[in-house]
Amino acid sequence: MAFTVNDFKVKKESGEKITMLTAYDFSMAKMLDQAGVDTLLVGDSLGMVILGYDNTLCVTMEEMLHHTRAVTRGAKNAFVIGDMPYLSYHISPEETVRNAGRFVKEAGAQAVKLEGGAEMVPHIEALIRAKIPVVGHIGMTPQSYNMLGGFKVQGKTYQQAEQLMKDAKALEEAGVCAMVLECVPDKLAKHITERITVPTIGIGAGKDCDGQVLVYHDILGLYQEIKPKFVKVYANLGELIEVAVKQYVEEVKLGLFPNEEHTFKIHDDIIKRLY
């Protein structure tokens, strides 16, 4: 059964954990969907793991829409969320709605995600009025990389923890259907989760969030440049791919591939007539 925006609240109330993974293309979206993942996030992390940028700040709307379209073609049951890239929602609520609307209308996303706390409330409220579901994102927000001085855990001081609690309540009141808590100490994430009515999706925020999200390149060992503490590698496909490609290269050079099994045939008489 397809996951809808209403299922966020249902799962929070029932205590059933929500699963989320990133997806950036048709084939992987289809596999993740068939594996039973509840929600797929077309994350701006594609800038790093797909496009090779140093961070997420360079990702454009056109790049995000291109990949979101591919994901929505592959996802039949999973709820697809488009990640709004840097500067696509910072200038005005009107521009935020315009860009978010493209995710829904042009790319088929069912919701958008944007980073930021209480300062984003006017933008979120404008999206809700436009009937676009919103997933919030607080804690370590990658698009604030330069302001934060890098990828750092947030909420370790009383002032930071208090602000995160205020931000979570502000997003809840603004109408988000869920919110990501990234790189937040586990006890603070638990405190926030217990005090708001919308589900929290943790990434580096402990086990007490209402759900979890990870980048699929990380859990499959496909991205080696950054290895966050919160990632568990479930299968090291990076090593398997390297072994397979090396074997392919060797067999081609030795003339072992293609063999009879992988070759199409034609009657010898036809070849003789060509001469």
Side-chain angles (χ1 to χ4, degrees), residues 10 12-13 39 58 67 72 109 115 142 159 161 165 185 192 224:
V10 170
K12 167 97 174 179
E13 292 175 347
T39 58
C58 301
H67 288 275
T72 57
E115 298 180 5
Q159 289 78 11
M165 187 68 241
I192 292 172
Q224 303 297 325

Side-chain angles (χ1 to χ4, degrees), residues 13-239:
E13 292 175 347
S14 68
E16 183 180 352
K17 296 289 187 178
I18 300 165
T19 57
M20 182 184 293
L21 283 171
T22 61
Y24 314 106
D25 62 78
F26 168 82
S27 297
M28 184 55 71
K30 187 174 181 179
M31 283 189 279
L32 298 178
D33 186 72
Q34 291 175 341
V37 178
D38 293 322
T39 58
L40 297 178
L41 171 65
V42 188
D44 62 358
S45 48
L46 70 85
M48 300 173 73
V49 301
I50 299 293
L51 302 177
Y53 299 148
D54 291 332
N55 52 55
T56 63
L57 301 178
C58 301
V59 180
T60 67
M61 271 294 297
E62 296 308 319
E63 288 167 340
M64 290 303 307
L65 293 171
H66 172 80
H67 288 275
T68 303
R69 280 191 289 266
V71 170
T72 57
R73 294 185 195 113
K76 302 304 180 185
N77 294 303
F79 188 86
V80 178
I81 304 162
D83 208 358
M84 298 194 71
Y86 180 60
L87 285 185
S88 69
Y89 59 96
H90 300 80
I91 297 172
S92 70
E94 292 76 18
E95 185 164 346
T96 299
V97 171
R98 187 178 303 112
N99 286 323
R102 296 188 67 192
F103 274 102
V104 176
K105 189 171 183 177
E106 298 178 27
Q110 292 149 292
V112 296
K113 181 179 77 65
L114 52 79
E115 298 180 5
E119 74 279 7
M120 286 293 113
V121 166
H123 302 262
I124 295 170
E125 290 177 338
L127 291 173
I128 300 301
R129 287 194 297 272
K131 311 305 180 186
I132 300 174
V134 182
V135 175
H137 184 160
I138 59 175
M140 198 285 288
T141 47
Q143 292 176 13
S144 302
Y145 175 86
N146 290 326
M147 287 292 291
L148 298 176
F151 301 122
K152 297 181 178 181
V153 176
Q154 301 297 304
K156 297 180 75 172
T157 68
Y158 174 78
Q159 289 78 11
Q160 287 183 348
E162 183 182 39
Q163 185 59 53
L164 282 176
M165 187 68 241
K166 290 179 179 178
D167 286 337
K169 292 295 293 183
L171 295 188
E172 175 190 27
E173 293 170 4
V176 299
C177 60
M179 70 182 73
V180 172
L181 303 183
E182 181 167 2
C183 290
V184 174
D186 57 352
K187 291 182 179 179
L188 175 58
K190 182 175 187 292
H191 180 84
I192 292 172
T193 300
E194 292 174 343
R195 283 159 178 79
I196 61 175
T197 59
V198 299
T200 58
I201 310 297
I203 176 167
K207 65 179 182 179
D208 293 306
C209 292
D210 298 304
Q212 298 292 329
V213 59
L214 285 173
V215 173
Y216 85 78
H217 284 71
D218 289 337
I219 72 169
L220 298 180
L222 296 172
Y223 186 72
Q224 303 297 325
E225 278 69 18
I226 298 176
K227 298 180 180 180
K229 177 182 179 180
F230 54 77
V231 168
K232 177 178 179 180
V233 179
Y234 285 82
N236 201 332
L237 299 190
E239 290 183 0

